[in-house]
Amino acid sequence: MRNVSEEIIEQYKKQNKPIKLNVACGQTRMEGFIGIDKVKTEATDIVQDLEAYPWPFEDNSVDEILCSHYVEHVRDLIRFVDEIHRIMKQGAKATIIAPYYANMRSVQDPTHVRSICEATFLYFNKGWRDTNKLDHYNIKSDFDFTYGYQVSPEWTNRSEEARVFAMRYYWNVINDIHVILTKR
């Protein structure tokens, strides 16, 4: 007997649709994305504890991942990122959105277990780990990544010079970091 995730994936394959996951979807349904979360909501297509591995997806089967405001809750970020790496196709992209470490929102929620910054994702690039003699870390994933920011509204209309200075030296200027991981 097939499970729900197998049936959903099979439907997408029959319709020749890309497999796109909204990981930790909560109550947010995204058009064209399969919602996966540990809690059943109207947006959840697949109920899955996201810290129980492996997830019910084949290796190299997912075309795109969106994960908004969840990685700061994950107890074992290495296993989580290794799992998205396992299920993603080569060249696939995962967009990760999280509260920025220099914003009070990153620490205000008592369920957050970590803060996220640009350097967090260096560890998930094999070349960087090798160069920095960190190949003893038990990390399997290998991603290239880019990032950007969601700046607090009161800073969006300031001059570029003022905004860059504030982003570097002040707290609460950047609300969220947006990271795009690309599977190598």
mmCIF file of all heavy atoms in Angstrom, residues 127-170:
data_model
loop_
_atom_site.group_PDB
_atom_site.id
_atom_site.type_symbol
_atom_site.label_atom_id
_atom_site.label_comp_id
_atom_site.label_asym_id
_atom_site.label_seq_id
_atom_site.Cartn_x
_atom_site.Cartn_y
_atom_site.Cartn_z
ATOM 1 N N GLY A 127 33.910 22.516 -0.735
ATOM 2 C CA GLY A 127 35.168 23.207 -1.014
ATOM 3 C C GLY A 127 35.604 24.092 0.143
ATOM 4 O O GLY A 127 36.783 24.123 0.505
ATOM 5 N N TRP A 128 34.666 24.805 0.727
ATOM 6 C CA TRP A 128 34.984 25.669 1.875
ATOM 7 C C TRP A 128 35.424 24.829 3.069
ATOM 8 O O TRP A 128 36.392 25.173 3.740
ATOM 9 C CB TRP A 128 33.779 26.547 2.232
ATOM 10 C CG TRP A 128 34.097 27.541 3.299
ATOM 11 C CD1 TRP A 128 34.621 28.796 3.117
ATOM 12 C CD2 TRP A 128 33.925 27.375 4.703
ATOM 13 N NE1 TRP A 128 34.786 29.401 4.337
ATOM 14 C CE2 TRP A 128 34.363 28.556 5.330
ATOM 15 C CE3 TRP A 128 33.445 26.339 5.500
ATOM 16 C CZ2 TRP A 128 34.336 28.734 6.706
ATOM 17 C CZ3 TRP A 128 33.420 26.506 6.878
ATOM 18 C CH2 TRP A 128 33.857 27.699 7.465
ATOM 19 N N ARG A 129 34.701 23.713 3.316
ATOM 20 C CA ARG A 129 35.100 22.834 4.424
ATOM 21 C C ARG A 129 36.505 22.294 4.207
ATOM 22 O O ARG A 129 37.322 22.286 5.132
ATOM 23 C CB ARG A 129 34.116 21.664 4.582
ATOM 24 C CG ARG A 129 32.761 22.057 5.117
ATOM 25 C CD ARG A 129 31.923 20.859 5.518
ATOM 26 N NE ARG A 129 31.790 19.812 4.542
ATOM 27 C CZ ARG A 129 30.863 19.757 3.590
ATOM 28 N NH1 ARG A 129 29.961 20.720 3.492
ATOM 29 N NH2 ARG A 129 30.800 18.735 2.756
ATOM 30 N N ASP A 130 36.813 21.870 2.986
ATOM 31 C CA ASP A 130 38.140 21.332 2.693
ATOM 32 C C ASP A 130 39.217 22.409 2.868
ATOM 33 O O ASP A 130 40.247 22.163 3.502
ATOM 34 C CB ASP A 130 38.200 20.759 1.277
ATOM 35 C CG ASP A 130 37.366 19.490 1.104
ATOM 36 O OD1 ASP A 130 36.941 18.889 2.126
ATOM 37 O OD2 ASP A 130 37.126 19.103 -0.059
ATOM 38 N N THR A 131 38.986 23.587 2.325
ATOM 39 C CA THR A 131 39.952 24.687 2.430
ATOM 40 C C THR A 131 40.231 25.054 3.880
ATOM 41 O O THR A 131 41.360 25.380 4.243
ATOM 42 C CB THR A 131 39.431 25.926 1.663
ATOM 43 O OG1 THR A 131 39.297 25.585 0.286
ATOM 44 C CG2 THR A 131 40.348 27.123 1.813
ATOM 45 N N ASN A 132 39.202 24.993 4.712
ATOM 46 C CA ASN A 132 39.334 25.380 6.115
ATOM 47 C C ASN A 132 39.604 24.194 7.040
ATOM 48 O O ASN A 132 39.471 24.311 8.256
ATOM 49 C CB ASN A 132 38.085 26.153 6.551
ATOM 50 C CG ASN A 132 38.053 27.512 5.916
ATOM 51 O OD1 ASN A 132 38.714 28.430 6.376
ATOM 52 N ND2 ASN A 132 37.324 27.636 4.810
ATOM 53 N N LYS A 133 39.989 23.075 6.426
ATOM 54 C CA LYS A 133 40.358 21.861 7.168
ATOM 55 C C LYS A 133 39.260 21.415 8.135
ATOM 56 O O LYS A 133 39.504 21.055 9.278
ATOM 57 C CB LYS A 133 41.692 22.059 7.888
ATOM 58 C CG LYS A 133 42.833 22.369 6.930
ATOM 59 C CD LYS A 133 44.142 22.417 7.622
ATOM 60 C CE LYS A 133 45.317 22.767 6.756
ATOM 61 N NZ LYS A 133 45.259 22.751 5.376
ATOM 62 N N LEU A 134 38.042 21.458 7.626
ATOM 63 C CA LEU A 134 36.875 21.030 8.399
ATOM 64 C C LEU A 134 36.244 19.789 7.771
ATOM 65 O O LEU A 134 35.065 19.514 7.994
ATOM 66 C CB LEU A 134 35.845 22.167 8.486
ATOM 67 C CG LEU A 134 36.341 23.414 9.202
ATOM 68 C CD1 LEU A 134 35.333 24.548 9.062
ATOM 69 C CD2 LEU A 134 36.622 23.124 10.665
ATOM 70 N N ASP A 135 37.035 19.050 6.998
ATOM 71 C CA ASP A 135 36.504 17.864 6.334
ATOM 72 C C ASP A 135 36.186 16.750 7.332
ATOM 73 O O ASP A 135 35.559 15.769 6.978
ATOM 74 C CB ASP A 135 37.436 17.369 5.234
ATOM 75 C CG ASP A 135 38.868 17.160 5.700
ATOM 76 O OD1 ASP A 135 39.258 17.725 6.739
ATOM 77 O OD2 ASP A 135 39.605 16.437 5.015
ATOM 78 N N HIS A 136 36.569 16.919 8.593
ATOM 79 C CA HIS A 136 36.211 15.944 9.629
ATOM 80 C C HIS A 136 34.781 16.144 10.128
ATOM 81 O O HIS A 136 34.249 15.293 10.824
ATOM 82 C CB HIS A 136 37.192 16.027 10.815
ATOM 83 C CG HIS A 136 37.200 17.366 11.484
ATOM 84 N ND1 HIS A 136 37.857 18.444 10.932
ATOM 85 C CD2 HIS A 136 36.624 17.794 12.623
ATOM 86 C CE1 HIS A 136 37.687 19.495 11.728
ATOM 87 N NE2 HIS A 136 36.945 19.133 12.752
ATOM 88 N N TYR A 137 34.155 17.279 9.770
ATOM 89 C CA TYR A 137 32.757 17.483 10.127
ATOM 90 C C TYR A 137 31.919 16.440 9.386
ATOM 91 O O TYR A 137 32.166 16.166 8.213
ATOM 92 C CB TYR A 137 32.286 18.880 9.724
ATOM 93 C CG TYR A 137 32.638 19.981 10.685
ATOM 94 C CD1 TYR A 137 33.821 19.976 11.416
ATOM 95 C CD2 TYR A 137 31.778 21.049 10.863
ATOM 96 C CE1 TYR A 137 34.139 20.993 12.290
ATOM 97 C CE2 TYR A 137 32.090 22.076 11.737
ATOM 98 C CZ TYR A 137 33.271 22.043 12.445
ATOM 99 O OH TYR A 137 33.580 23.052 13.302
ATOM 100 N N ASN A 138 30.931 15.895 10.037
ATOM 101 C CA ASN A 138 30.089 14.880 9.414
ATOM 102 C C ASN A 138 28.961 15.558 8.624
ATOM 103 O O ASN A 138 27.798 15.485 8.990
ATOM 104 C CB ASN A 138 29.521 13.933 10.484
ATOM 105 C CG ASN A 138 28.828 12.750 9.857
ATOM 106 O OD1 ASN A 138 29.102 12.387 8.718
ATOM 107 N ND2 ASN A 138 27.914 12.152 10.596
ATOM 108 N N ILE A 139 29.364 16.244 7.553
ATOM 109 C CA ILE A 139 28.414 16.941 6.680
ATOM 110 C C ILE A 139 28.542 16.338 5.290
ATOM 111 O O ILE A 139 29.639 16.247 4.742
ATOM 112 C CB ILE A 139 28.696 18.458 6.631
ATOM 113 C CG1 ILE A 139 28.571 19.072 8.034
ATOM 114 C CG2 ILE A 139 27.762 19.147 5.643
ATOM 115 C CD1 ILE A 139 28.974 20.536 8.108
ATOM 116 N N LYS A 140 27.422 15.925 4.719
ATOM 117 C CA LYS A 140 27.425 15.300 3.398
ATOM 118 C C LYS A 140 27.088 16.293 2.288
ATOM 119 O O LYS A 140 27.443 16.093 1.143
ATOM 120 C CB LYS A 140 26.420 14.142 3.366
ATOM 121 C CG LYS A 140 26.751 13.014 4.335
ATOM 122 C CD LYS A 140 25.669 11.963 4.346
ATOM 123 C CE LYS A 140 25.903 10.905 5.386
ATOM 124 N NZ LYS A 140 25.646 11.350 6.746
ATOM 125 N N SER A 141 26.375 17.347 2.621
ATOM 126 C CA SER A 141 25.857 18.251 1.595
ATOM 127 C C SER A 141 26.945 19.119 0.982
ATOM 128 O O SER A 141 27.977 19.392 1.591
ATOM 129 C CB SER A 141 24.727 19.115 2.158
ATOM 130 O OG SER A 141 25.128 19.780 3.322
ATOM 131 N N ASP A 142 26.678 19.538 -0.249
ATOM 132 C CA ASP A 142 27.574 20.420 -0.982
ATOM 133 C C ASP A 142 26.710 21.387 -1.789
ATOM 134 O O ASP A 142 26.134 21.011 -2.807
ATOM 135 C CB ASP A 142 28.498 19.601 -1.890
ATOM 136 C CG ASP A 142 29.576 20.449 -2.532
ATOM 137 O OD1 ASP A 142 29.810 21.600 -2.084
ATOM 138 O OD2 ASP A 142 30.208 19.964 -3.495
ATOM 139 N N PHE A 143 26.609 22.607 -1.285
ATOM 140 C CA PHE A 143 25.794 23.645 -1.900
ATOM 141 C C PHE A 143 26.637 24.866 -2.218
ATOM 142 O O PHE A 143 27.527 25.230 -1.446
ATOM 143 C CB PHE A 143 24.688 24.114 -0.939
ATOM 144 C CG PHE A 143 23.549 23.174 -0.762
ATOM 145 C CD1 PHE A 143 23.410 22.443 0.404
ATOM 146 C CD2 PHE A 143 22.574 23.036 -1.740
ATOM 147 C CE1 PHE A 143 22.338 21.596 0.603
ATOM 148 C CE2 PHE A 143 21.498 22.183 -1.554
ATOM 149 C CZ PHE A 143 21.376 21.467 -0.386
ATOM 150 N N ASP A 144 26.329 25.520 -3.329
ATOM 151 C CA ASP A 144 26.724 26.900 -3.535
ATOM 152 C C ASP A 144 25.587 27.726 -2.951
ATOM 153 O O ASP A 144 24.450 27.233 -2.842
ATOM 154 C CB ASP A 144 26.865 27.220 -5.025
ATOM 155 C CG ASP A 144 28.112 26.581 -5.620
ATOM 156 O OD1 ASP A 144 29.142 26.501 -4.920
ATOM 157 O OD2 ASP A 144 28.050 26.170 -6.794
ATOM 158 N N PHE A 145 25.863 28.970 -2.559
ATOM 159 C CA PHE A 145 24.761 29.774 -2.033
ATOM 160 C C PHE A 145 24.973 31.260 -2.290
ATOM 161 O O PHE A 145 26.094 31.725 -2.465
ATOM 162 C CB PHE A 145 24.531 29.504 -0.544
ATOM 163 C CG PHE A 145 25.560 30.102 0.388
ATOM 164 C CD1 PHE A 145 25.329 31.317 0.996
ATOM 165 C CD2 PHE A 145 26.727 29.426 0.660
ATOM 166 C CE1 PHE A 145 26.261 31.868 1.855
ATOM 167 C CE2 PHE A 145 27.673 29.955 1.518
ATOM 168 C CZ PHE A 145 27.444 31.191 2.122
ATOM 169 N N THR A 146 23.849 31.936 -2.367
ATOM 170 C CA THR A 146 23.815 33.395 -2.423
ATOM 171 C C THR A 146 22.847 33.839 -1.345
ATOM 172 O O THR A 146 22.069 33.032 -0.823
ATOM 173 C CB THR A 146 23.328 33.910 -3.801
ATOM 174 O OG1 THR A 146 22.012 33.390 -4.053
ATOM 175 C CG2 THR A 146 24.275 33.488 -4.919
ATOM 176 N N TYR A 147 22.905 35.111 -1.004
ATOM 177 C CA TYR A 147 21.997 35.603 0.027
ATOM 178 C C TYR A 147 21.659 37.075 -0.196
ATOM 179 O O TYR A 147 22.361 37.791 -0.906
ATOM 180 C CB TYR A 147 22.587 35.405 1.431
ATOM 181 C CG TYR A 147 23.899 36.123 1.649
ATOM 182 C CD1 TYR A 147 23.926 37.443 2.089
ATOM 183 C CD2 TYR A 147 25.105 35.485 1.402
ATOM 184 C CE1 TYR A 147 25.128 38.105 2.279
ATOM 185 C CE2 TYR A 147 26.307 36.139 1.585
ATOM 186 C CZ TYR A 147 26.314 37.450 2.032
ATOM 187 O OH TYR A 147 27.506 38.102 2.209
ATOM 188 N N GLY A 148 20.568 37.461 0.415
ATOM 189 C CA GLY A 148 20.123 38.845 0.413
ATOM 190 C C GLY A 148 19.367 39.092 1.706
ATOM 191 O O GLY A 148 19.263 38.210 2.558
ATOM 192 N N TYR A 149 18.833 40.285 1.825
ATOM 193 C CA TYR A 149 18.201 40.684 3.078
ATOM 194 C C TYR A 149 16.839 41.320 2.858
ATOM 195 O O TYR A 149 16.600 41.945 1.838
ATOM 196 C CB TYR A 149 19.066 41.715 3.809
ATOM 197 C CG TYR A 149 20.494 41.328 3.993
ATOM 198 C CD1 TYR A 149 21.495 41.899 3.213
ATOM 199 C CD2 TYR A 149 20.861 40.385 4.952
ATOM 200 C CE1 TYR A 149 22.818 41.557 3.391
ATOM 201 C CE2 TYR A 149 22.187 40.034 5.129
ATOM 202 C CZ TYR A 149 23.168 40.625 4.347
ATOM 203 O OH TYR A 149 24.479 40.277 4.524
ATOM 204 N N GLN A 150 15.994 41.174 3.864
ATOM 205 C CA GLN A 150 14.786 41.992 3.952
ATOM 206 C C GLN A 150 15.103 43.044 5.003
ATOM 207 O O GLN A 150 15.280 42.729 6.181
ATOM 208 C CB GLN A 150 13.563 41.184 4.370
ATOM 209 C CG GLN A 150 12.340 42.062 4.478
ATOM 210 C CD GLN A 150 11.215 41.399 5.246
ATOM 211 O OE1 GLN A 150 11.359 40.321 5.795
ATOM 212 N NE2 GLN A 150 10.097 42.081 5.303
ATOM 213 N N VAL A 151 15.199 44.282 4.553
ATOM 214 C CA VAL A 151 15.571 45.385 5.430
ATOM 215 C C VAL A 151 14.319 45.947 6.086
ATOM 216 O O VAL A 151 13.243 46.006 5.478
ATOM 217 C CB VAL A 151 16.312 46.481 4.625
ATOM 218 C CG1 VAL A 151 16.644 47.690 5.472
ATOM 219 C CG2 VAL A 151 17.576 45.902 3.995
ATOM 220 N N SER A 152 14.467 46.370 7.322
ATOM 221 C CA SER A 152 13.366 46.979 8.064
ATOM 222 C C SER A 152 12.828 48.184 7.288
ATOM 223 O O SER A 152 13.611 48.955 6.718
ATOM 224 C CB SER A 152 13.880 47.412 9.435
ATOM 225 O OG SER A 152 12.849 47.946 10.203
ATOM 226 N N PRO A 153 11.494 48.368 7.234
ATOM 227 C CA PRO A 153 10.901 49.429 6.407
ATOM 228 C C PRO A 153 11.466 50.828 6.653
ATOM 229 O O PRO A 153 11.608 51.606 5.712
ATOM 230 C CB PRO A 153 9.411 49.372 6.770
ATOM 231 C CG PRO A 153 9.192 47.988 7.243
ATOM 232 C CD PRO A 153 10.469 47.565 7.902
ATOM 233 N N GLU A 154 11.826 51.143 7.880
ATOM 234 C CA GLU A 154 12.330 52.495 8.143
ATOM 235 C C GLU A 154 13.707 52.760 7.524
ATOM 236 O O GLU A 154 14.147 53.897 7.467
ATOM 237 C CB GLU A 154 12.345 52.821 9.641
ATOM 238 C CG GLU A 154 13.126 51.873 10.493
ATOM 239 C CD GLU A 154 12.295 50.744 11.075
ATOM 240 O OE1 GLU A 154 11.205 50.453 10.556
ATOM 241 O OE2 GLU A 154 12.755 50.144 12.043
ATOM 242 N N TRP A 155 14.366 51.707 7.020
ATOM 243 C CA TRP A 155 15.674 51.871 6.377
ATOM 244 C C TRP A 155 15.602 51.769 4.859
ATOM 245 O O TRP A 155 16.584 52.069 4.177
ATOM 246 C CB TRP A 155 16.668 50.848 6.918
ATOM 247 C CG TRP A 155 17.106 51.204 8.297
ATOM 248 C CD1 TRP A 155 16.595 50.734 9.478
ATOM 249 C CD2 TRP A 155 18.107 52.149 8.645
ATOM 250 N NE1 TRP A 155 17.225 51.322 10.538
ATOM 251 C CE2 TRP A 155 18.169 52.195 10.060
ATOM 252 C CE3 TRP A 155 18.977 52.957 7.908
ATOM 253 C CZ2 TRP A 155 19.055 53.029 10.733
ATOM 254 C CZ3 TRP A 155 19.867 53.776 8.590
ATOM 255 C CH2 TRP A 155 19.892 53.810 9.989
ATOM 256 N N THR A 156 14.496 51.375 4.286
ATOM 257 C CA THR A 156 14.439 51.134 2.837
ATOM 258 C C THR A 156 14.590 52.405 2.011
ATOM 259 O O THR A 156 15.107 52.345 0.895
ATOM 260 C CB THR A 156 13.131 50.411 2.443
ATOM 261 O OG1 THR A 156 12.028 51.166 2.901
ATOM 262 C CG2 THR A 156 13.094 49.004 2.995
ATOM 263 N N ASN A 157 14.162 53.543 2.503
ATOM 264 C CA ASN A 157 14.240 54.792 1.726
ATOM 265 C C ASN A 157 15.450 55.638 2.079
ATOM 266 O O ASN A 157 15.592 56.749 1.571
ATOM 267 C CB ASN A 157 12.959 55.614 1.899
ATOM 268 C CG ASN A 157 11.778 54.919 1.254
ATOM 269 O OD1 ASN A 157 11.924 54.255 0.235
ATOM 270 N ND2 ASN A 157 10.612 55.055 1.856
ATOM 271 N N ARG A 158 16.316 55.140 2.939
ATOM 272 C CA ARG A 158 17.545 55.865 3.285
ATOM 273 C C ARG A 158 18.549 55.712 2.145
ATOM 274 O O ARG A 158 18.435 54.830 1.298
ATOM 275 C CB ARG A 158 18.153 55.315 4.582
ATOM 276 C CG ARG A 158 17.216 55.337 5.769
ATOM 277 C CD ARG A 158 17.227 56.705 6.452
ATOM 278 N NE ARG A 158 16.344 56.736 7.606
ATOM 279 C CZ ARG A 158 16.743 56.597 8.851
ATOM 280 N NH1 ARG A 158 18.014 56.416 9.136
ATOM 281 N NH2 ARG A 158 15.870 56.664 9.838
ATOM 282 N N SER A 159 19.555 56.554 2.174
ATOM 283 C CA SER A 159 20.600 56.457 1.141
ATOM 284 C C SER A 159 21.295 55.096 1.245
ATOM 285 O O SER A 159 21.341 54.491 2.323
ATOM 286 C CB SER A 159 21.624 57.581 1.311
ATOM 287 O OG SER A 159 22.441 57.326 2.446
ATOM 288 N N GLU A 160 21.840 54.660 0.137
ATOM 289 C CA GLU A 160 22.564 53.385 0.113
ATOM 290 C C GLU A 160 23.706 53.400 1.133
ATOM 291 O O GLU A 160 23.923 52.433 1.854
ATOM 292 C CB GLU A 160 23.097 53.108 -1.300
ATOM 293 C CG GLU A 160 23.860 51.820 -1.448
ATOM 294 C CD GLU A 160 22.985 50.574 -1.364
ATOM 295 O OE1 GLU A 160 21.750 50.672 -1.485
ATOM 296 O OE2 GLU A 160 23.549 49.489 -1.164
ATOM 297 N N GLU A 161 24.417 54.498 1.209
ATOM 298 C CA GLU A 161 25.542 54.613 2.147
ATOM 299 C C GLU A 161 25.063 54.457 3.600
ATOM 300 O O GLU A 161 25.660 53.709 4.384
ATOM 301 C CB GLU A 161 26.243 55.955 1.960
ATOM 302 C CG GLU A 161 27.440 56.156 2.848
ATOM 303 C CD GLU A 161 28.094 57.518 2.628
ATOM 304 O OE1 GLU A 161 27.761 58.214 1.645
ATOM 305 O OE2 GLU A 161 28.948 57.874 3.454
ATOM 306 N N ALA A 162 23.986 55.143 3.952
ATOM 307 C CA ALA A 162 23.453 55.059 5.324
ATOM 308 C C ALA A 162 22.946 53.652 5.624
ATOM 309 O O ALA A 162 23.178 53.112 6.709
ATOM 310 C CB ALA A 162 22.336 56.083 5.520
ATOM 311 N N ARG A 163 22.269 53.047 4.643
ATOM 312 C CA ARG A 163 21.706 51.712 4.834
ATOM 313 C C ARG A 163 22.827 50.676 5.011
ATOM 314 O O ARG A 163 22.772 49.839 5.916
ATOM 315 C CB ARG A 163 20.797 51.344 3.663
ATOM 316 C CG ARG A 163 19.951 50.124 3.903
ATOM 317 C CD ARG A 163 18.873 49.899 2.854
ATOM 318 N NE ARG A 163 19.324 50.018 1.491
ATOM 319 C CZ ARG A 163 19.033 51.038 0.668
ATOM 320 N NH1 ARG A 163 18.281 52.033 1.087
ATOM 321 N NH2 ARG A 163 19.485 51.066 -0.560
ATOM 322 N N VAL A 164 23.869 50.741 4.196
ATOM 323 C CA VAL A 164 24.976 49.796 4.298
ATOM 324 C C VAL A 164 25.679 49.948 5.645
ATOM 325 O O VAL A 164 26.008 48.960 6.307
ATOM 326 C CB VAL A 164 25.963 49.973 3.118
ATOM 327 C CG1 VAL A 164 27.259 49.216 3.354
ATOM 328 C CG2 VAL A 164 25.304 49.529 1.816
ATOM 329 N N PHE A 165 25.892 51.194 6.072
ATOM 330 C CA PHE A 165 26.513 51.435 7.380
ATOM 331 C C PHE A 165 25.646 50.843 8.491
ATOM 332 O O PHE A 165 26.132 50.126 9.370
ATOM 333 C CB PHE A 165 26.717 52.937 7.617
ATOM 334 C CG PHE A 165 27.378 53.256 8.922
ATOM 335 C CD1 PHE A 165 28.757 53.290 9.023
ATOM 336 C CD2 PHE A 165 26.615 53.505 10.062
ATOM 337 C CE1 PHE A 165 29.377 53.564 10.231
ATOM 338 C CE2 PHE A 165 27.220 53.784 11.271
ATOM 339 C CZ PHE A 165 28.610 53.816 11.359
ATOM 340 N N ALA A 166 24.360 51.114 8.437
ATOM 341 C CA ALA A 166 23.439 50.619 9.466
ATOM 342 C C ALA A 166 23.377 49.099 9.467
ATOM 343 O O ALA A 166 23.365 48.472 10.541
ATOM 344 C CB ALA A 166 22.050 51.205 9.245
ATOM 345 N N MET A 167 23.357 48.490 8.301
ATOM 346 C CA MET A 167 23.300 47.029 8.227
ATOM 347 C C MET A 167 24.530 46.391 8.861
ATOM 348 O O MET A 167 24.449 45.320 9.437
ATOM 349 C CB MET A 167 23.173 46.580 6.760
ATOM 350 C CG MET A 167 21.811 46.882 6.163
ATOM 351 S SD MET A 167 21.723 46.698 4.355
ATOM 352 C CE MET A 167 22.023 44.963 4.155
ATOM 353 N N ARG A 168 25.641 47.081 8.780
ATOM 354 C CA ARG A 168 26.884 46.531 9.322
ATOM 355 C C ARG A 168 27.029 46.754 10.824
ATOM 356 O O ARG A 168 27.571 45.905 11.521
ATOM 357 C CB ARG A 168 28.064 47.153 8.587
ATOM 358 C CG ARG A 168 29.375 46.567 8.996
ATOM 359 C CD ARG A 168 30.471 46.975 8.087
ATOM 360 N NE ARG A 168 31.691 46.293 8.484
ATOM 361 C CZ ARG A 168 32.818 46.421 7.867
ATOM 362 N NH1 ARG A 168 32.901 47.191 6.802
ATOM 363 N NH2 ARG A 168 33.886 45.791 8.289
ATOM 364 N N TYR A 169 26.525 47.882 11.320
ATOM 365 C CA TYR A 169 26.833 48.258 12.700
ATOM 366 C C TYR A 169 25.640 48.323 13.656
ATOM 367 O O TYR A 169 25.847 48.406 14.859
ATOM 368 C CB TYR A 169 27.554 49.606 12.723
ATOM 369 C CG TYR A 169 28.904 49.536 12.063
ATOM 370 C CD1 TYR A 169 29.116 50.117 10.822
ATOM 371 C CD2 TYR A 169 29.955 48.852 12.669
ATOM 372 C CE1 TYR A 169 30.355 50.046 10.209
ATOM 373 C CE2 TYR A 169 31.196 48.775 12.061
ATOM 374 C CZ TYR A 169 31.388 49.376 10.832
ATOM 375 O OH TYR A 169 32.619 49.299 10.234
ATOM 376 N N TYR A 170 24.427 48.294 13.155
ATOM 377 C CA TYR A 170 23.259 48.448 14.025
ATOM 378 C C TYR A 170 22.448 47.157 14.088
ATOM 379 O O TYR A 170 22.404 46.389 13.129
ATOM 380 C CB TYR A 170 22.334 49.559 13.540
ATOM 381 C CG TYR A 170 22.929 50.938 13.484
ATOM 382 C CD1 TYR A 170 22.333 51.912 12.687
ATOM 383 C CD2 TYR A 170 24.060 51.300 14.199
ATOM 384 C CE1 TYR A 170 22.843 53.195 12.610
ATOM 385 C CE2 TYR A 170 24.586 52.586 14.125
ATOM 386 C CZ TYR A 170 23.966 53.517 13.329
ATOM 387 O OH TYR A 170 24.477 54.785 13.261
#
